[in-house]
Amino acid sequence: MAGNPKITFIGAGSTVFMKNIIGDILQRPALAGAKIALMDINSQRLEESAIVARKLASTLGASAAVETFTDQRQALDGADFVVVAFQIGGYEPCTVTDFEVPKKYGLRQTIADTLGVGGIMRGLRTVPHLWKICEDMLAVCPEAIMLQYVNPMAINTWAIAEKYPTIKQVGLCHSVQGTAMELAKDLDIPYDEIRYRSAGINHMAFYLKFEHRQADGSYRDLYPDLVRAYREGQAPKPGWNPRCPNKVRYEMLTRLGYFVTESSEHFAEYTPYFIKEGREDLIEKFGIPLDEYPKRCIEQIARWKNQAEQYRSADKIEVAQSKEYASSIINSVWTGEPSVIYGNVRNNGCITSLPYNCAAEVPCLVDASGIQPTFIGDLPPQLTALIRTNINVQELTVQALMTENREHIYHAAMMDPHTAAELDLDQIWSLVDELLATHGTWLPEWARSDRKVQAA
């Protein structure tokens, strides 16, 4: 397309993430003159982000124009692309609530942002705000593509497709390419010699193929090497976070025959096998980092304080290319130069063994025609079965949101594999009551608790 695209960033107060995405965008010649609209409800964080974005542009010699908005619809007016990255309710009070209330019932979590009672509550808080963006987009930029980086990704993507089917949207995560890089490192193979194909749902997709290109141009299956490396104690190698040794996924590889794309700390709470009351031996054996997400939040907040100061005083801000997909999508749509990304979209029959209307994570071709998901067919039956246990929770949460029926919130919690493995029905009902009451006005009105909270 001629001219420069307008890229609106909703939740631009997430400065570090905004810096990575905008940095990627401005390093692409066709996008260097983009109009960047930054929007956030926190004007101080917004100003900090604008300083960073402008310094980035000047460091890169890009002619991008950066504007700030606290009014969402104004920021969206005439946008070609809408990047969304926010956390409704933040670390305090909402993440703290999602961890501390379940703990009173003996239900321990690691991340609590995708599935489980934490994921359900986050979905209830988040989807209404995403729907509001869709409404504004229909009014002022109906053809724009939404690039959505918000958890719980699958619930969000599903709920948007259900209520606003004409909105062009894709949910983006870096777990597919990030994990492929980790596995290449575990096997001491250069990442650019790896070929893989992955499919499933967000945070529970599996590498259907994971191969190494040989000198003669053929490809060798790496699964036997991964299993052997795990059994011989050569893998997993230490990663970026010493609290998270990544053993859960390797263990599941030996049981399922396929490697899952999202981290072990996440995967431990999507299944009923690893976090069990009175089984500290399992926590120890697999290195399950309980309460991992709150720890990361605290570290991030501390890190940000230092970083904000550095950015404010720096003349230049250098930025390396990140592994996020946003810039390659925008570049491909704008220039027609094709790329392949992994995106979360309405399934629509791409994965034939999963429900037609669920949110699937599949390879997508991106070019001037937009984001085009590719056909996968049936997944192996054991993967389909495990993924369905997570889809049950997502579907009921979306149903609760679509119908404003509070009962479905309880049904979603009741179907959650980890919650059901730990708590009985009375405890689950009681826990949901207490979470709804504690979250209060962070939730949509229909979901707020009108019952007295029972003691645990």
Side-chain angles (χ1 to χ4, degrees), residues 154-167:
I155 287 170
N156 296 342
T157 306
W158 191 334
I160 290 169
E162 209 70 27
K163 188 154 176 142
Y164 293 98
T166 64
I167 290 284

Side-chain angles (χ1 to χ4, degrees), residues 225-235 250-251 253-255:
D225 299 35
L226 286 169
V227 172
R228 191 179 316 113
Y230 177 58
R231 294 227 157 105
E232 291 173 0
Q234 304 302 308
Y250 271 97
E251 184 63 26
L253 163 65
T254 69
R255 312 291 176 154

Side-chain angles (χ1 to χ4, degrees), residues 15-16 44-45 48 51-52 55 301-314 317:
T15 307
V16 175
Q44 185 200 334
R45 294 290 297 267
E48 289 171 350
I51 292 169
V52 171
K55 284 183 182 175
I301 291 162
R303 208 167 38 238
W304 170 241
K305 277 189 177 147
N306 296 333
Q307 234 163 6
E309 218 28 72
Q310 285 166 10
Y311 287 152
R312 203 179 275 280
S313 52
I317 295 178

